Amino acid sequence: EDMLERLKRMRNVEGLPKLVFESPSKFFVGIEERGECNQLVTWVGELYFELHRGTYTSQAQVKQANRKCEVLLHDIEFLAAIAKFESCMSWFCTCICVCDNYNVWEGGLELSSDIYPKEELLRLWKLLLLDQFHDVLPGSSIREVYVDVMGHFKEIQTAGNNLLSSSISAVTSK
């Protein structure tokens, strides 16, 4: 509502483009009536520009926080996977040394979710991916979006740093 009110007030401000509020169908009918259809561009083929490398933004702090969260979650997954592997190997070696038969396999191997925090990692990745929506990283969202996004990044950093510490401890305690 605030944005629409602002647009109405800026309708006839000197130096700004003149705004007209109308439906898309009315816009295209107007183009046809004015005979401007031949000025519309038609693109055939892929819209991907091969030389495009990255996205410029007006929200550098958002892109920076996004990248830090990506790296953090990657590092947690890497270390948690190593910790889980070491735990599996330790369990396997203990079974080989202690057991004469392999019936121990029937019980299966259950590891604590502390070793590989799958559910929490999934939650944090989903939160991060939500914040990679196409209007967020280039900076074309409204202010309220960036307030929310920065809160999400803080949540990911806080929870992620705890998981990272746990993963480091699990790997180095062996």
Side-chain angles (χ1 to χ4, degrees):
E1 288 180 26
D2 290 342
M3 292 177 70
L4 291 176
E5 181 60 35
R6 221 175 287 143
L7 287 172
K8 286 178 185 175
R9 281 189 267 134
M10 294 170 30
R11 222 177 224 169
N12 293 314
V13 175
E14 183 73 32
L16 293 179
K18 302 297 180 211
L19 300 175
V20 176
F21 292 97
E22 61 186 14
S23 68
S25 58
K26 188 173 180 182
F27 171 78
F28 286 110
V29 166
I31 288 176
E32 287 176 354
E33 288 174 353
R34 292 187 301 271
E36 298 172 347
C37 289
N38 61 345
Q39 294 177 21
L40 296 176
V41 177
T42 302
W43 185 271
V44 178
E46 181 63 47
L47 290 177
Y48 178 74
F49 180 50
E50 293 81 15
L51 300 177
H52 179 257
R53 298 288 181 252
T55 303
Y56 290 109
T57 184
S58 62
Q59 301 290 327
Q61 73 279 8
V62 169
K63 282 191 76 171
Q64 184 179 36
N66 175 73
R67 187 65 183 135
K68 284 182 179 181
C69 288
E70 286 177 335
V71 169
L72 176 63
L73 294 178
H74 165 273
D75 292 350
I76 295 164
E77 284 192 352
F78 178 75
L79 290 170
I82 289 173
K84 184 170 183 174
F85 175 77
E86 286 180 344
S87 180
C88 288
M89 291 307 295
S90 173
W91 181 86
F92 177 76
C93 291
T94 301
C95 289
I96 295 299
C97 295
V98 174
C99 302
D100 287 336
N101 61 40
Y102 290 95
N103 291 339
V104 70
W105 292 105
E106 292 174 10
L109 172 61
E110 289 190 24
L111 295 170
S112 164
S113 62
D114 293 341
I115 294 174
Y116 191 89
K118 177 184 173 184
E119 295 304 317
E120 181 66 355
L121 273 170
L122 185 61
R123 183 185 76 80
L124 295 175
W125 272 115
K126 284 182 177 181
L127 187 57
L128 181 63
L129 291 173
L130 172 68
D131 295 334
Q132 293 180 349
F133 184 69
H134 75 270
D135 283 342
V136 175
L137 294 179
S140 54
S141 289
I142 60 174
R143 186 187 66 77
E144 289 83 358
V145 170
Y146 295 107
V147 171
D148 289 348
V149 165
M150 292 308 286
H152 295 165
F153 289 146
K154 185 173 182 175
E155 179 182 345
I156 293 166
Q157 288 278 335
T158 301
N161 284 332
N162 291 334
L163 292 176
L164 185 64
S165 294
S166 297
S167 296
I168 290 171
S169 294
V171 170
T172 58
S173 67
K174 304 292 178 204

